[in-house]
Amino acid sequence: MDSSIDVEKRGGRGNDTPVDMDGLVIKTGDQLVDSSDLDPRLSLSSRRAADEPVSRQTEKEGNSIDEDDTVVDEPLYIEFDQGDRRNPINFSPARKWAITWLSSFSTLLAASTAAGYSMGFESMCDELHCTRFRAAIGLSTFTLGFGVVPLFTASFSEEFGRQPLYIVSAGGFFLTYILIALAPNIHAVLVGRFLQGAFGSTWATMVGGTIADIWIPQQRGLPMSIFAIAALGGTGFEMNPKLEWKWIEWVLMMLCGLYILLLPLVMKETRSSILLRRIAQKMRAETGNKRYRARVEDERLSMRTMIFISCTRPIHLLVTEPIVSSFSLWIGFAWGVTYALIESIPLTFEVLHGFNVGQIGTVFAAMIVGSGLGYISNSYQERLYQANIEKRGPEARLYGACFAAVLLPAGMFIYAWSSFSYVHWIVPVIGITLLIWATYIIYLAVFTYLADAYGPFASSALAGQSLCRNLAAMAFPLFTTQMFEKLGFTWAGTLLACIATLMIPIPFILFFYGPSIRAHSTFSRQVLENKPVS
């Protein structure tokens, strides 16, 4: 235990009751010299220097502050000691993997719900008397909620922790299935899809953070690849062809119900700052000594300010950071093409090859195969990362991305130029598989590279790319059918493939010139100057 605990022994009140502090380190303000893990929502210019005196006020009940209650005694900040089992990074391997698999299952459920909806277009159009285009808008409203809502809700995990948000999101997501399945018209379906995306967005934005909470950087490769295969492979989730649109919702609702049953048993709070705050509150209540504090209590901002920053900083990074903007453009295009595929596959294989609903569902399985190939190839990327991290830094995450830059347009060209009735259907399926394989690699590279490059600001960087990615996924289905009908299957696919070709240089530029670009970045430079940000 840190020697600074002597401060508590000298400065504590005489009537303090004994508190079990095994595994905790108690530090005074002037001992907090490492600023690399300060609350990243704080302005870069407003962070307290190591030698700056601590000045704060005691928060009373209801979080109101009395101007006359300025604390004179220096606070005693509690931190987890190395090896403390209460620290999520020190959870047992079994607990870590249980949390990883369950949180990835939630991502799989969200992805399956996003894409499975398209399998019911025909029956939905017949029953609700709407056009296919209006039904397809449901794909866009889902991704709109998926992309925009996290900008407003991300801060709630900072205030209340991750576990409550998982529970609330699961409950809301469950209810949206009922809303959609019982919808009397297409308008109610579209509203339900937006709410479905809004509640499901929590799983996309928090799972990466949850994995970062419990795994050290050198161990995150496999958990993150499981998360990525759930996010992308879930779009290839195949339904029984005899199920109509309502039963698709009911079946997915049953899976969501299973998830809700497992959630309180498996998912524990993984945000260490929230756990430390709870411990500090308990210590103050048990001892009467108000000097016990968690750092987040004095560093956190008001909820209004946190929401403002969570809404504006991702956009600021998108506009001012070349790394974030280029990667967001790339993954946004790849993600948009994926959702364009979801809409184009039924059209292409029904018109050209006479596939029925069941056979079209089998084609979607190619997305699962492509994600599986991405998962397998990631093991080689991980070996390259471990071997070159000291020499390359975060750019060691980009070997696979350089391969994917070529693979993406290759798959798209194959899909486009095999769109003829006399070409065997397996050829476009191979093109789909290669495209999804490339998208998986890009998706995983974006998450891991931005996390390494931006450290404590990674949440904002990832929120920026998530916004761009989901807005693209919202837009592409709105013009996919019209584009394929006007240009034809071949030239519509060729147009997208040519755009992908123009983006090939993106990962290569970052691979060779990334360190120089990051050195000129206001945010990424903070990580370079404070290396241990994990």
Side-chain angles (χ1 to χ4, degrees):
M1 186 173 295
D2 196 283
S3 60
S4 57
I5 196 170
D6 293 339
V7 176
E8 186 276 330
K9 292 178 180 178
R10 294 192 301 268
R13 297 180 182 180
N15 60 349
D16 286 351
T17 56
V19 179
D20 181 10
M21 293 185 291
D22 288 343
L24 294 177
V25 174
I26 314 295
K27 291 184 177 180
T28 57
D30 58 356
Q31 292 172 308
L32 299 178
V33 295
D34 178 17
S35 64
S36 61
D37 61 341
L38 289 177
D39 192 333
R41 293 162 301 175
L42 294 175
S43 167
L44 292 175
S45 60
S46 65
R47 294 183 172 185
R48 181 178 63 83
D51 57 351
E52 182 180 340
V54 177
S55 176
R56 66 176 182 84
Q57 295 175 316
T58 302
E59 296 183 22
K60 292 183 176 290
E61 294 296 327
N63 292 329
S64 62
I65 298 178
D66 191 326
E67 293 182 358
D68 296 327
D69 288 329
T70 301
V71 177
V72 177
D73 291 337
E74 190 172 22
L76 300 175
Y77 291 109
I78 65 170
E79 295 181 351
F80 289 120
D81 202 355
Q82 187 175 4
D84 190 339
R85 303 297 286 187
R86 289 171 293 186
N87 188 348
I89 207 72
N90 295 321
F91 281 173
S92 68
R95 170 66 66 185
K96 288 183 179 182
W97 280 114
I99 292 173
T100 299
W101 281 109
L102 185 65
S103 57
S104 296
F105 178 72
S106 69
T107 305
L108 176 71
L109 183 61
S112 302
T113 300
Y117 167 81
S118 66
M119 296 294 295
F121 279 178
E122 184 176 346
S123 58
M124 180 183 293
C125 293
D126 291 340
E127 186 169 335
L128 299 182
H129 308 291
C130 65
T131 63
R132 183 184 179 88
F133 174 74
R134 296 182 72 184
I137 294 175
L139 288 172
S140 298
T141 55
F142 183 96
T143 51
L144 178 63
F146 215 78
V148 174
V149 171
L151 295 179
F152 299 92
T153 60
S155 296
F156 289 104
S157 70
E158 319 286 336
E159 182 69 17
F160 305 109
R162 302 198 194 277
Q163 187 185 39
L165 261 67
Y166 275 115
I167 295 172
V168 172
S169 298
F173 202 73
F174 183 87
L175 294 176
T176 58
Y177 288 117
I178 301 175
L179 172 61
I180 295 173
L182 300 181
N185 52 55
I186 189 61
H187 305 292
V189 171
L190 298 182
V191 171
R193 286 287 290 179
F194 175 80
L195 294 175
Q196 207 166 50
F199 284 111
S201 65
T202 300
W203 295 333
T205 56
M206 282 208 312
V207 172
T210 299
I211 290 174
D213 289 341
I214 60 178
W215 299 98
I216 61 176
Q218 293 80 1
Q219 297 174 339
R220 287 177 195 160
L222 180 57
M224 282 300 296
S225 63
I226 294 172
F227 164 55
I229 200 172
L232 197 55
T235 57
F237 189 75
E238 182 181 355
M239 283 289 185
N240 188 320
K242 295 182 180 180
L243 293 178
E244 296 187 347
W245 69 281
K246 287 188 176 182
W247 268 104
I248 290 175
E249 299 298 321
W250 294 130
V251 170
L252 289 170
M253 187 186 74
M254 294 175 195
L255 293 176
C256 185
L258 174 63
Y259 169 75
I260 291 174
L261 292 177
L262 295 174
L263 194 58
L265 301 176
V266 176
M267 185 62 65
K268 303 299 180 184
E269 181 56 56
T270 62
R271 197 169 186 87
S272 59
S273 59
I274 297 296
L275 296 173
L276 286 170
R277 188 178 72 188
R278 292 174 183 173
I279 293 172
Q281 290 170 342
K282 183 177 181 180
M283 291 175 69
R284 291 197 297 268
E286 291 182 354
T287 66
N289 189 342
K290 303 303 181 184
R291 297 173 62 200
Y292 289 123
R293 308 283 294 176
R295 291 174 63 178
V296 69
E297 293 180 283
D298 292 338
E299 293 166 3
R300 67 179 179 178
L301 308 174
S302 67
M303 180 59 72
R304 176 183 298 180
T305 303
M306 287 193 295
I307 292 177
F308 175 77
I309 293 177
S310 69
C311 290
T312 58
R313 180 172 285 173
I315 298 173
H316 176 73
L317 289 174
L318 269 175
V319 173
T320 62
E321 294 287 315
I323 291 176
V324 178
S325 57
S326 59
F327 251 27
S328 298
L329 177 66
W330 196 31
I331 186 60
F333 174 76
W335 210 250
V337 169
T338 300
Y339 273 79
L341 266 181
I342 291 172
E343 188 177 354
S344 72
I345 284 174
L347 185 66
T348 301
F349 284 84
E350 181 180 349
V351 172
L352 296 180
H353 302 287
F355 277 25
N356 58 34
V357 175
Q359 292 171 321
I360 291 172
T362 304
V363 174
F364 276 97
M367 294 186 169
I368 300 176
V369 175
S371 300
L373 290 173
Y375 177 83
I376 294 171
S377 62
N378 182 63
S379 61
Y380 184 61
Q381 161 63 47
E382 277 300 301
R383 287 198 294 271
L384 291 173
Y385 171 75
Q386 298 293 343
N388 295 279
I389 178 61
E390 295 298 329
K391 179 176 65 175
R392 286 284 183 183
E395 283 67 35
R397 297 284 191 187
L398 300 180
Y399 289 99
C402 293
F403 168 67
V406 178
L407 187 64
L408 181 66
M412 296 172 71
F413 275 120
I414 292 173
Y415 181 67
W417 286 94
S418 61
S419 296
F420 300 99
S421 58
Y422 55 82
V423 177
H424 194 280
W425 60 265
I426 196 63
V427 181
V429 168
I430 292 173
I432 294 170
T433 303
L434 297 180
L435 190 156
I436 297 300
W437 183 7
T439 303
Y440 176 98
I441 296 172
I442 297 169
Y443 181 82
L444 189 57
V446 167
F447 269 84
T448 54
Y449 179 67
L450 291 182
D452 285 0
Y454 285 88
F457 305 103
S459 295
S460 295
L462 291 171
Q465 68 81 24
S466 178
L467 175 65
C468 191
R469 176 166 51 87
N470 285 292
L471 288 179
M474 176 198 74
F476 272 63
L478 296 178
F479 61 78
T480 297
T481 299
Q482 295 89 328
M483 182 176 70
F484 274 72
E485 289 177 349
K486 295 290 184 181
L487 299 179
F489 299 118
T490 300
W491 288 108
T494 300
L495 175 61
L496 297 176
C498 289
I499 297 174
T501 303
L502 293 176
M503 295 185 178
I504 287 178
I506 290 176
F508 290 95
I509 292 173
L510 292 178
F511 184 81
F512 291 107
Y513 301 104
S516 176
I517 296 173
R518 289 187 291 110
H520 292 85
S521 162
T522 303
F523 290 88
S524 188
R525 190 170 62 245
Q526 300 297 312
V527 182
L528 293 174
E529 295 172 354
N530 297 284
K531 285 268 183 158
V533 294
S534 61

